[in-house]
Amino acid sequence: MAAVLQAQNARRRLSQGELDLIVSAHERFIEGRPGGKRASLRFVDLSGLDLTDRNLNDADLSGSVFDNCKMARAKLERANLFGCDLRRADLREAVMRRADLRGACLRGANVANADLSGADFREGQIGVANRANGLNLLRTETRAGQLDEVNFAGAKLDGSKLEQVSACASDFTDCSMKGAILSGANLKDANLSGANLEGAEIGGAILENVNFLGAVMTGVDVRRARSSTGANMSGCLGAPSEAAMGRTQDLLERAKANQMWCDTGGKHGAPAKMDGEDLRPMGLRLRGFRLTAMSAKGACLVGLDMTGCQLQGSNFEGADLRSACFKDADLRGARMAGANLTRADFTNAVLAPLPLGGGRETPVNLRGATLRYVLGLNADLTGAVLDDADLRGADFTGAMIEGVSLSGANLMQANGLASRHAKSLLHGGGGGTEAKSALGA
């Protein structure tokens, strides 16, 4: 689809009051309330206005200017943003799933921790007004998406279409980009450290001086890139080795023995010892397993699905648990000190103390762990030790945090952990060091 967009100086400028009226009517429309009307904000100038927390799902915003617009946590799912100017816009934590961003310019925007799954950033045909004759004479030119110097840190870009975009010097740190299409994209000088690029397509992409430090590159063929001179591939995680694949059945038998040990009260079987193992080939096979007291110190469990597992007293110290799923899991008393849990999912998980008898109990230990962009909605964190943990961008909305210790923890833009019940927010959790808290607006 092509679009003919008016010149910026011909766009109608809206006031904040006018914008609020239009958006309120759209929100009523979305919610099915009386007086609702779908928003059509095409070819308008909204520079510097405030759309924080507003709902513009399915709205038509094509060709409009959002330069320096405040749009943190805005809902823009399936929104038409074709050819929009979003330079320097604040889009932190915005929900933009399947948004149409073809031909859009986001240069210098802050899109940290936003959800852009399935968004379309491909090139689009943009109309340009003749300077002398204004809108009386238009010419069209094809423009690629302009994403240079954008802060995408922690954003979700799974399945997004980024063919031919220019994203020079952009920050994709810790992004989830599984299955993203980056064919022909210019990523020169970009930072993709810690990003998950599993199954991404990079044929013909420019990867000069790109920082891939510690990125997940499973299924990514860097040889298909146009150029990769100077790219830092240190610590990248590729596909499981043949040896790891060959050990899958043995590891599964250990898990079954652990379950038997639980089911028979310790009479048969034994806790699984999986220290240092690559468990990724297990895939979905561990869902719902009873793995109380298992040990996986230093193991690789990237992307592993452990939904509903019984993991009381388990040991994951120093393990790589990025993007692992622990939904509804029982992790009472688990040891995860120093583990990398970036983008892990603890929704409804129990991370409370484990009773040991005689009135004794052991809390969950996440001291020094990396929990950037973790999802922990409604989790039970009662008494958990999170001292010196990196919780930037984590979301524990609705979580139980009575007695949580956060001494020295980094809470930049973390949600759900600011409470009188969290020890360190009152007195440093006994450690004498206040939590480094800078909760985003």
Side-chain angles (χ1 to χ4, degrees):
M1 180 182 71
V4 177
L5 306 182
Q6 297 173 333
Q8 183 170 346
N9 59 8
R11 290 183 175 89
R12 183 167 69 92
R13 171 69 180 173
L14 291 188
S15 68
Q16 185 68 52
E18 290 175 308
L19 177 61
D20 289 342
L21 288 173
I22 293 170
V23 176
S24 294
H26 182 80
E27 290 172 336
R28 289 194 295 272
F29 171 79
I30 291 292
E31 296 166 8
R33 293 188 285 125
K37 182 180 180 182
R38 188 191 298 273
S40 180
L41 289 164
R42 304 172 70 232
F43 318 132
V44 294
D45 183 0
L46 305 171
S47 300
L49 299 185
D50 194 344
L51 285 164
T52 304
D53 292 314
R54 302 307 297 266
N55 189 341
L56 282 165
N57 288 344
D58 298 301
D60 186 355
L61 309 166
S62 55
S64 292
V65 176
F66 295 88
D67 189 6
N68 273 310
C69 198
K70 298 177 180 66
M71 305 171 75
R73 297 179 300 278
K75 296 178 177 64
L76 294 157
E77 194 163 357
R78 298 175 302 277
N80 184 359
L81 291 154
F82 190 103
C84 283
D85 184 348
L86 290 150
R87 285 177 292 179
R88 297 177 293 276
D90 181 1
L91 286 155
R92 289 173 298 162
E93 300 183 53
V95 179
M96 305 173 73
R97 290 188 290 265
R98 298 186 297 282
D100 186 348
L101 286 149
R102 286 175 293 169
C105 177
L106 283 83
R107 183 185 292 272
N110 187 350
V111 199
N113 207 13
D115 188 348
L116 292 145
S117 304
D120 192 345
F121 293 92
R122 292 175 296 173
E123 64 184 17
Q125 289 187 351
I126 310 300
V128 181
N130 181 277
R131 290 187 177 182
N133 298 302
L135 299 177
N136 293 323
L137 180 61
L138 288 163
R139 63 182 176 85
T140 61
E141 63 180 45
T142 300
R143 290 183 186 172
Q146 299 176 49
L147 310 179
D148 300 325
E149 301 176 5
V150 175
N151 178 14
F152 284 106
K156 191 172 183 180
L157 289 152
D158 295 341
S160 56
K161 301 176 179 66
L162 294 149
E163 295 104 309
Q164 306 297 327
V165 302
S166 179
C168 297
S170 287
D171 186 357
F172 292 95
T173 304
D174 293 327
C175 278
S176 182
M177 304 176 73
K178 293 183 288 186
I181 303 174
L182 292 151
S183 306
N186 186 354
L187 297 167
K188 183 178 180 181
D189 299 320
N191 185 0
L192 283 94
S193 59
N196 188 341
L197 290 149
E198 181 182 347
E201 175 55 59
I202 61 171
I206 298 173
L207 306 177
E208 293 178 18
N209 301 320
V210 172
N211 183 9
F212 286 107
L213 178 66
V216 178
M217 304 288 283
T218 309
V220 179
D221 188 355
V222 179
R223 295 171 300 179
R224 299 193 62 210
R226 186 187 310 176
S227 61
S228 57
T229 305
N232 178 11
M233 307 296 294
S234 303
C236 285
L237 184 65
S241 65
E242 289 187 13
M245 296 295 293
R247 293 172 63 79
T248 303
Q249 188 58 40
D250 174 56
L251 296 175
L252 184 59
E253 292 303 319
R254 296 186 205 179
K256 290 179 178 178
N258 200 147
Q259 183 151 284
M260 181 184 294
W261 182 76
C262 294
D263 292 341
T264 63
K267 293 181 181 179
H268 302 285
K273 300 295 183 183
M274 301 185 182
D275 297 346
E277 298 282 1
D278 188 346
L279 303 180
R280 289 178 294 164
M282 303 287 281
L284 302 175
R285 301 183 192 184
L286 295 181
R287 284 174 61 103
F289 257 69
R290 298 186 68 184
L291 296 168
T292 300
M294 76 169 286
S295 182
K297 293 186 292 185
C300 180
L301 296 91
V302 173
L304 202 66
D305 191 341
M306 304 189 79
T307 299
C309 282
Q310 301 291 310
L311 294 161
Q312 304 93 331
S314 55
N315 191 339
F316 293 103
E317 293 175 351
D320 190 346
L321 294 154
R322 287 176 290 171
S323 300
C325 184
F326 292 99
K327 285 183 179 179
D328 302 307
D330 188 342
L331 288 148
R332 285 177 293 168
R335 287 171 284 174
M336 295 182 166
N340 189 346
L341 289 147
T342 301
R343 304 196 73 90
D345 191 344
F346 287 99
T347 299
N348 297 319
V350 180
L351 296 103
L354 178 67
L356 299 175
R360 296 177 301 122
E361 61 183 21
T362 183
V364 168
N365 185 357
L366 285 155
R367 188 185 302 273
T370 301
L371 296 114
R372 292 193 294 269
Y373 310 108
V374 156
L375 189 63
L377 305 180
N378 303 313
D380 185 352
L381 288 170
T382 303
V385 178
L386 288 158
D387 298 343
D388 300 315
D390 187 350
L391 289 146
R392 285 175 286 175
D395 189 356
F396 284 97
T397 300
M400 298 173 61
I401 60 172
E402 183 78 36
V404 168
S405 182
L406 292 162
S407 180
N410 190 336
L411 303 179
M412 183 75 71
Q413 295 184 358
N415 295 317
L417 295 172
S419 166
R420 61 186 176 85
H421 299 301
K423 290 181 181 179
S424 60
L425 296 182
L426 281 174
H427 49 74
T433 304
E434 293 184 0
K436 292 173 280 188
S437 176
L439 304 182

